[in-house]
Each structure stands twice: as C-alpha cells, then as structure tokens.
Amino acid sequence: MKRLESYYSHARQQPNLAAAGSNNNKRESTTKGIKGDKMKKYLVLALIVLTILSVGVASAEDAPKLSGVAYIQGHGGHIAVLDLATGELARYSHGKPSDTLQLSTDKKTIYVFSLDGFEKEIDVETGKQSEWMKIGKKHCGSAIAPDGTIWVSDMDDGNVYVFDPKAKKLVDSFPVSKSICAIAFSKDGKNAYVADMPGGFVSVVDVKTKKVTGQIKDVGAFIHRGRIRPGTDEMWQSDGAELKDGKPAGVGYTEGGSIPGSVTIIDTKANKVIDKVLIGGNPHDVDFTPDGKYALVSTRQVPDQDDSALVVVNAANRRVVDMRGACKLCHYALNFAVPKKTDDGRPYLCAVQIDWDRKGIAAGADHIMPKDAQPMKHDEKIKDISKEKK
C-alpha cells in the first residue's frame, strides 16, 4: 500500500543515531583542553540529553495493521475500493459524480446517492447495478436509521429524504436547515445529528417526530460528513474548511493563509464541541474500526502531496498515526488524468465506509490494480480519457 509522507511523518521517525554520533564528535572536539571532572560532566550531560531525545522519538506510535475493505466515493463517477491489508485497488464505475454512499447492514449492497439527486444500487459480489432513480436534488450524506430506512441529506434544499431499501422507493422527506450533509444517529436511536455545511452547526433531530429540537454551534468553517464513535457519545464531524463566510478559505482554494482541515469532536450528551483534531487537506468523512480505537478520515488535497488520502487517527489520544494515498496510485496505473475543468484536475474523494469483516476485494469490482503498482514519474505524460468516445 502506498503511504504518503507529509508533515505528520515525524511521528514515525526513529532516532538518528548516526547524526547523534556526529554531534557527539563535535562536542568532543570543542572540549579539548577540558580535563578530568569537567570532561566527565560534559560527557554525562551529553549522554543524558541524547537518551531523553531518543526515548521521546522512539515512543512515537506505530501505524496499526488494519484489515478490511474500504469503499470510497469519488467525484469521478466511481467508487474506489481499497484492501486495507494488501493495498490492492479496484473500483465500481457507476457514472455520476457523487458525494455519498451507504453500505447495507449485511454489506452485500452499496447504495449510491448522486450530486444530481439520484439513487442506484450496486451488488458488491457481482458488480451488477440497478437503474438510476430520482429521489432528491443534490445529495451529500447518508446513514441507516434505526427502522432500517436510509436517511439521505440534500445540500440543495436542506431536506432529509427517507429511502426504503426494501421497497426501493422514497417514503418521506422533511426539512432540517439550509444546506445539509452529515447524518449520524445516537446510540439509543432517539436523536439524529445533521450537519449544515455553510452554517457550521449541527442540528439535533428527534427521530420519531422528525423535528429539530436543538442546535450545536461553532462546529467548523465548512462541515461535511461525520459519524458516532463506537461505544461512545462522541460525534466526529469532518471540517473541510474550504469556505468561510462564503469565501475560499481551505487548503487548495487559496495560495496562502489557508485554514487547515480538521475533525471536530462533539459530546452529544452535552451537545457541545469538546476537541478538534488537525488532519490537513479538506476532510470529508470519518469511519471507525469496530472497537472505536482508530478513526479513518477521508481527506482531499493532502498538504504537499496533491492527492486525496485516508488519514488514520488514534481516537484515544487523538493523534495522526498513518496516512494512505487513495487516488493517484490508481490513476497513474490506469494512465489517467483528471480533466482540468473537473475539480481543477485533482482527484477528489468524499464518503468512506469500511467493511471490516471482508477479506479481499469482490470479483464484481473492476479495474483491479496490481499490488506493486507504482506512480508514474512526474515528467511522464498521462492521457485524459474523459474525451474518449464511450
């Protein structure tokens, strides 16, 4: 699996003993003429400092060994499929720019909700797809409700559309706020938490009455999808920070002075923000390991990499421990460039959901990439297949 190096990489570095030895030699050369006890004091002090530095760096947390299959929605009309254990890549092409997806409870079906308000179902094993069906206007987030229906947010009209996966039809809709994205349900299933992107707040919705009963303010600058951390009352809400007060603000949208993306942690019992985790880029979604120990944050435009990635966070101490490229490796191996007119030529990922029980990518996925695929060199030309006849 291709891992990105960034300004987080210092957390995984080991002590540079060679450099330390060089520094000791320099110290030794400056101590010529210092005799007896003074020499011993300098040497002891140097060893103490070196030991402290070595222990501090060596104690940095190692990246966890993860196993499962991640499904990552992209703007390019396909779902990227990543085997977290092997790094193998594949995809399901569905044809419409989309922000969100939803795995069924049995993990056999992927529901896609597009940016022009349509819904489609993909069979994970066979790759067979249903026809697109219109249900809303511009979908952004989704979550399975306690009654088994799928709540789908709409960033165009601020409504939640309720889709019944068994009946395969829209069964209800209701207003929440202006332009909504994240939907997450409380542990007891009584409340839903719905994020307003430009407003930077999260509405508390009574699941039974579908009425807004409260609001959590100052969550972020421009917020997207989020999720409840397993076993807790914490909602981890992504803050892409692309816009602030309607103006460009986030990484990739301004040349300087950008707001780095983060994840905001909300205590849903107290309905207040309790912490923020710096991620970088423009975070768009969060998923967790089943035990809640690690969060995997999908983020766009990783600093200094110009790629989208999954950022792994230790949920207990809230520190980034790993970062894994999610787009460019596959694009390079396919000899494909994102058209300049689409997202400024950058690969944009959105929602992520992980099947932690799955071992290996299903045969129904297409364009499976070799495990040892390597990115092309920067001076190599890559073609724009968007203009090719279909």
Side-chain angles (χ1 to χ4, degrees), residues 84-303:
L84 295 174
T86 68
E88 184 181 3
L89 286 161
R91 70 177 185 176
Y92 293 101
S93 298
H94 53 69
K96 281 185 178 288
S98 306
D99 264 17
T100 191
L101 58 79
Q102 184 65 52
L103 266 179
S104 60
T105 53
D106 61 9
K107 307 297 190 298
K108 293 180 179 180
T109 305
I110 302 172
Y111 297 92
V112 180
F113 301 96
S114 69
L115 285 171
D116 59 356
F118 283 78
E119 179 272 342
K120 165 175 279 200
E121 298 159 31
I122 302 174
D123 185 293
V124 171
E125 295 297 335
T126 67
K128 292 182 179 179
Q129 303 182 18
S130 67
E131 296 295 323
W132 287 104
M133 179 175 66
K134 183 75 170 179
I135 64 170
K137 294 182 178 180
K138 192 174 184 180
H139 300 308
C140 188
S142 59
I144 297 178
D147 64 359
T149 59
I150 301 175
W151 285 23
V152 187
S153 62
D154 199 299
M155 67 177 91
D156 185 76
D157 60 13
N159 287 344
V160 167
Y161 289 85
V162 183
F163 178 77
D164 186 338
K166 292 183 178 180
K168 301 184 185 301
K169 66 179 183 179
L170 183 69
V171 294
D172 198 4
S173 67
F174 59 92
V176 176
S177 59
K178 184 178 179 180
S179 182
I180 59 176
C181 195
I183 301 177
F185 292 95
S186 59
K187 288 190 301 182
D188 60 12
K190 294 181 179 180
N191 291 319
Y193 301 91
V194 183
D196 188 286
M197 285 195 299
F201 62 83
V202 172
S203 297
V204 183
V205 178
D206 184 291
V207 172
K208 186 176 181 179
T209 64
K210 298 182 175 65
K211 300 294 184 182
V212 176
T213 60
Q215 190 179 97
I216 305 168
K217 298 181 178 181
D218 301 320
V219 175
F222 200 74
I223 57 181
H224 299 277
R225 280 159 294 279
R227 212 175 300 264
I228 301 295
R229 179 186 171 195
T232 75
D233 295 305
E234 296 175 0
M235 179 180 179
W236 286 46
Q237 172 65 58
S238 64
D239 180 10
E242 298 99 324
L243 302 174
K244 186 176 183 181
D245 300 327
K247 299 179 181 179
V251 174
Y253 286 75
T254 54
E255 293 299 324
S258 299
I259 301 172
S262 62
V263 170
T264 301
I265 302 176
I266 300 169
D267 181 344
T268 59
K269 284 291 186 182
N271 283 346
K272 67 177 183 180
V273 173
I274 58 173
D275 205 355
K276 284 182 178 289
V277 181
L278 176 66
I279 301 297
N282 304 129
H284 269 244
D285 201 1
V286 185
D287 201 356
F288 291 92
T289 53
D291 57 12
K293 290 183 177 180
Y294 293 97
L296 280 79
V297 182
S298 61
T299 187
R300 301 174 179 176
Q301 302 183 96
V302 177

Side-chain angles (χ1 to χ4, degrees), residues 40-104:
K40 292 179 180 178
K41 288 179 181 179
Y42 276 101
L43 290 175
V44 170
L45 178 60
L47 287 171
I48 291 173
V49 172
L50 178 59
T51 300
I52 291 173
L53 290 175
S54 298
V55 171
V57 177
S59 63
E61 182 176 352
D62 290 332
K65 293 182 179 179
L66 301 175
S67 178
V69 174
Y71 301 95
I72 309 166
Q73 185 65 269
H75 265 192
H78 64 271
I79 297 168
V81 186
L82 173 63
D83 187 321
L84 295 174
T86 68
E88 184 181 3
L89 286 161
R91 70 177 185 176
Y92 293 101
S93 298
H94 53 69
K96 281 185 178 288
S98 306
D99 264 17
T100 191
L101 58 79
Q102 184 65 52
L103 266 179
S104 60

